[in-house]
Amino acid sequence: MAKTLYDKLWDSHLVQQRDDGSALIYIDLQLLHEVTSPQAFEGLRLHGRKPWRLTSSLATPDHNVPTTVEERKSGVNGIADPVSKIQVTTLDDNCDEFGITEFKMTDIRQGIVHVVGPEQGATIPGMTVVCGDSHTSTHGAFGALAHGIGTSEVEHVLATQCLVQKKMRNMLVRVDGELSPYVTAKDVVLAIIGEIGTAGGTGYAIEFGGSAIASLSMEGRMTVCNMAIEAGARVGLIAVDQTTIDYVKDRPYAPKGAHWDMAVEAWKDLVSDKDAEFDEVVVLNAADIKPQVTWGTSPEMVIAIDQDIPRPEDQADAVTRDGYARAWKYMGLEGKKTLADITLDRVFIGSCTNSRIEDLRAAAEVVKGRKVADTLKQAIVVPGSGLVKEQAEKEGLDKIFTEAGLEWREPGCSMCLAMNADKLGHGEHCASTSNRNFEGRQGFGGRTHLVSPAMAAAAAIAGHFVDVNELVKH
Amino acid sequence: MRPFTTHTGIAAPLDLANVDTDMIIPKQFLKSIKRTGFGKNLFDELRYEDEGQPDQECTGRPLRKDFVLNQDRYQGTSVLLARSNFGCGSSREHAPWALDDFGIRSVIAPSFADIFYNNCFKNGLLPIVLKEEEVDQLFEEVEANEGYELTVDLENQTVKTPSGTEFSFDVDAFRKHCLLNGLDDIGLTLQQADAIHAYEEKRIQTAPWLFEARAL
Ligand code: SF4
């Protein structure tokens, strides 16, 4: 029978099928960070259990590490917030105690787990990847089956190398045609979420396909899969092709020598069969997608830059009307008609969605030779890992940013979820390249607008949202 | 894990769709390395006027009067009625921990986000999916009747209203079994150690690169 990519990955990791439809799935790689792991290690200790297979885990602190050079200088001891410090120290101690490889705060390989895994070649096609973080869907860009899991499951995978799962349904989201200039992977995925809604993918593994997806770099593909969860799908997938293989080759953890050749041969099968059937198919036309900006408090509240902000009273459905009214109030949109009417307070370029080298290059290209608007309180650029930072500095991107008036930071999650000192003040509007615009996500009362790196950079220069295509013309 | 068999308790209506885990427990409270103590910060931003800090005493904080769980009639709530896509967003298990610590034993909604739904079962909390119109009816009844209680019966898979109306719900047989008996998932999986070893032995033949010691 013809199989989808998801079917193939599922079948090759099936340890045991149970009568009620649930199954034991074998896990090849678990990524760990400081926020969702302490209680899992505690659980192991309480029951006197050991990790099943040590070499399948890789850890790095990311969520609440500080990102200023000052605070980072002395490693863990430099963390000013005592509660954050305990959490990072606890990860270090747990990894040391159980013998798990960890890129500690002072290691150049430290960074956001979803940037670090692929960058190291720890994430490779055909594997199963889990992490106690919903954006684990990122790794699906490699044709890997990647799930975000909760802390009890983190403990379960550590102890048994398996996850109890029920098979999901298959959805194909196809984006056909060619993308317009400055329309990026982020705009594509925001447009998809706008189309299917934040719960549209619930219960599905979404495979992204079509010529527009195939034309994306690995960085772009990771951006798309990263936000599958924002459409409700725990799993996002993209078929393996030459772009995937070229990216993985020669990375530190990637297979080498004869194993490499064997692996590449096997990976060629990591595509959905021609006549595979999907339970749901959604098709978008790449040429119709314009730069996207979210206006509300859910990623599905998104419009193209040239559209008017939708008004609650124009919504036919009562639940939508209430939701929009609440979002309007929270976002302070009264009296505003378009996105350009919103005065921005801060700009954040970073997060596991958009902090890879290509993202930084795109932002740098826009701000080069320009200056950040005076009205802005702050614009920060936070690379996804120490290695991304190093590469960007080699290319002189840091200089371009600082000359334009943006701050250049140390790697971490930073303002994406504001667990460290980087956060929005009450009522402040932020153009952010992250993935969630929920109430309070970037700080109590903070107002987040999700955009691509190029659009965030353009907004930093203008002080409000503008079509990056217009900005670069001048 | 604490078993769940039947439970009767006060129901409260949280009339909001897409309640995300950031709302259930804001990120500043994720810094704890424990599983308990999150109850006082459940729905922190909806519940209090000020911004909550970790390790803060909450008894004196100004409450938001409009928030349902702050109202007198809903004190002691243990069954939460919610709208669609409850628990979306981050995978944080702190969300069910906070609900549990607050005293919520069951959440009833027309739909849940996958990860949250799954996390509930690991923590003795029962998420129940009822039809949209059934949830609507419960919302109406609870708002109209002070002291309204619901009885959740996992064995028979029913939710019973004070007037005796019963709604039935679906639940996976395996999850039900674990929850009814308070079984530890990990212990159960470890009983299948032979199957896991057998899988590994087979897999290493076809995909040996997945079992290489990793470069450091
Ligand atoms: S960057 Fe943001 S979304 Fe990504 S792992 Fe960190 S906190 Fe989560």
Side-chain angles (χ1 to χ4, degrees), chain A residues 92-329:
Chain A
D92 290 355
D93 292 349
N94 282 326
C95 289
D96 291 348
E97 179 186 335
F98 288 97
I100 287 169
T101 304
E102 183 199 5
F103 300 154
K104 293 198 164 70
M105 254 179 77
T106 45
D107 192 315
I108 187 147
R109 297 168 296 180
Q110 177 272 340
I112 307 172
V113 274
H114 309 310
V115 174
V116 169
E119 180 176 79
Q120 290 295 317
T123 303
I124 54 174
M127 37 164 52
T128 39
V129 183
V130 294
C131 175
D133 186 283
S134 57
H135 293 101
T136 310
S137 57
T138 309
H139 308 264
F142 290 81
L145 178 55
H147 297 93
I149 58 176
T151 300
S152 294
E153 291 172 316
V154 171
E155 185 183 340
H156 191 277
V157 173
L158 279 169
T160 71
Q161 211 57 48
C162 291
L163 189 65
V164 180
Q165 275 292 299
K166 231 180 163 163
K167 197 166 175 203
M168 302 174 198
R169 284 178 294 167
N170 282 290
M171 182 188 289
L172 174 67
V173 174
R174 222 174 61 216
V175 188
D176 294 330
E178 228 175 284
L179 295 170
S180 311
Y182 291 101
V183 173
T184 66
K186 182 65 162 286
D187 303 296
V188 170
V189 71
L190 284 171
I192 292 170
I193 296 164
E195 177 82 22
I196 68 174
T198 44
T202 305
Y204 288 98
I206 301 183
E207 179 173 342
F208 300 96
S211 49
I213 301 290
S215 72
L216 295 174
S217 64
M218 285 317 293
E219 284 86 352
R221 293 178 190 187
M222 285 189 253
T223 302
V224 171
C225 289
N226 174 277
M227 290 192 71
I229 185 68
E230 267 28 271
R234 289 176 76 177
V235 167
L237 284 169
I238 293 176
V240 173
D241 62 8
Q242 197 56 41
T243 307
T244 326
I245 292 168
D246 291 345
Y247 181 97
V248 175
K249 193 169 177 7
D250 296 329
R251 294 197 177 253
Y253 282 67
K256 305 270 157 31
H259 278 178
W260 170 258
D261 298 334
M262 258 180 103
V264 170
E265 220 20 65
W267 295 345
K268 288 189 179 144
D269 187 46
L270 295 175
V271 296
S272 288
D273 293 334
K274 274 222 160 45
D275 37 4
E277 276 189 37
F278 288 85
D279 302 289
E280 186 78 49
V281 178
V282 177
V283 182
L284 274 79
N285 186 356
D288 296 342
I289 303 174
K290 295 192 179 138
Q292 305 278 308
V293 184
T294 64
W295 58 267
T297 52
S298 158
E300 70 185 12
M301 295 175 177
V302 65
I303 49 177
I305 179 72
D306 59 356
Q307 284 177 304
D308 285 352
I309 306 170
R311 305 193 59 89
E313 59 270 26
D314 297 338
Q315 308 309 311
D317 173 60
V319 178
T320 311
R321 201 159 47 233
D322 290 354
Y324 275 31
R326 187 183 163 91
W328 264 70
K329 189 158 167 249

Side-chain angles (χ1 to χ4, degrees), chain B residues 10-171:
Chain B
I10 295 185
L14 181 60
D15 198 0
L16 202 59
N18 298 313
V19 169
D20 57 71
T21 52
D22 283 72
M23 278 187 200
I24 299 174
I25 182 89
K27 69 258 155 194
Q28 63 268 36
F29 307 110
L30 308 189
K31 294 184 185 183
S32 165
I33 55 170
K34 299 194 291 268
R35 278 176 198 255
T36 51
F38 296 103
K40 62 185 193 326
N41 301 111
L42 175 73
F43 296 121
D44 202 84
E45 290 182 12
L46 300 173
R47 190 166 152 199
Y48 301 102
E49 296 280 359
D50 61 339
E51 180 180 3
Q53 300 304 331
D55 287 336
Q56 173 189 19
E57 184 48 60
C58 291
T59 41
R61 291 176 61 196
L63 295 173
R64 286 173 66 157
K65 299 254 165 356
D66 58 343
F67 183 59
V68 60
L69 294 176
N70 287 338
Q71 295 165 19
D72 283 343
R73 56 181 291 194
Y74 296 121
Q75 294 314 301
T77 291
S78 58
V79 179
L80 189 65
L81 293 178
R83 296 296 189 186
S84 60
N85 201 25
F86 187 84
C88 60
S90 125
S91 65
R92 61 188 69 159
E93 202 156 317
H94 311 69
W97 293 339
L99 286 162
D100 178 66
D101 198 56
F102 182 86
I104 305 288
R105 301 295 317 276
S106 179
V107 184
I108 301 175
S111 62
F112 290 90
D114 284 343
I115 303 180
F116 174 82
Y117 184 79
N118 204 28
N119 281 340
C120 284
F121 285 95
K122 318 268 177 204
N123 293 283
L125 209 71
L126 178 61
I128 296 175
V129 179
L130 292 183
K131 294 195 194 75
E132 191 100 42
E133 57 281 11
E134 295 171 344
V135 175
D136 284 345
Q137 185 184 334
L138 292 178
F139 265 87
E140 275 168 31
E141 290 184 10
V142 72
E143 280 160 10
N145 301 289
E146 209 168 318
Y148 186 88
E149 290 194 344
L150 288 171
T151 298
V152 174
D153 181 342
L154 177 57
E155 179 67 50
N156 294 308
Q157 299 179 211
T158 56
V159 175
K160 201 155 105 195
T161 72
S163 63
T165 315
E166 278 189 3
F167 299 113
S168 55
F169 61 88
D170 281 336
V171 57

Side-chain angles (χ1 to χ4, degrees), chain A residues 12 16 20 26 39 49 52 55 81 84 87 151-153 155-156 166 203 253 259 417 419 436 440, chain B residues 27 30-32 34-35 46 51 89-90 93 114 118-119 172 174 184 189 192 199-200 212 214-215:
Chain A
S12 62
Q16 198 174 58
D20 69 341
Y26 192 81
Q39 296 87 353
R49 289 173 177 142
W52 181 277
T55 53
D81 175 3
S84 294
Q87 215 167 41
T151 300
S152 294
E153 291 172 316
E155 185 183 340
H156 191 277
K166 231 180 163 163
Y253 282 67
H259 278 178
L417 91 166
M419 273 185 80
R436 288 199 172 126
Chain B
K27 69 258 155 194
L30 308 189
K31 294 184 185 183
S32 165
K34 299 194 291 268
R35 278 176 198 255
L46 300 173
E51 180 180 3
S90 125
E93 202 156 317
D114 284 343
N118 204 28
N119 281 340
D172 282 0
F174 180 71
D184 162 26
T189 301
Q192 307 304 320
Y199 171 87
E200 285 180 324
E212 276 174 359
R214 301 194 159 268

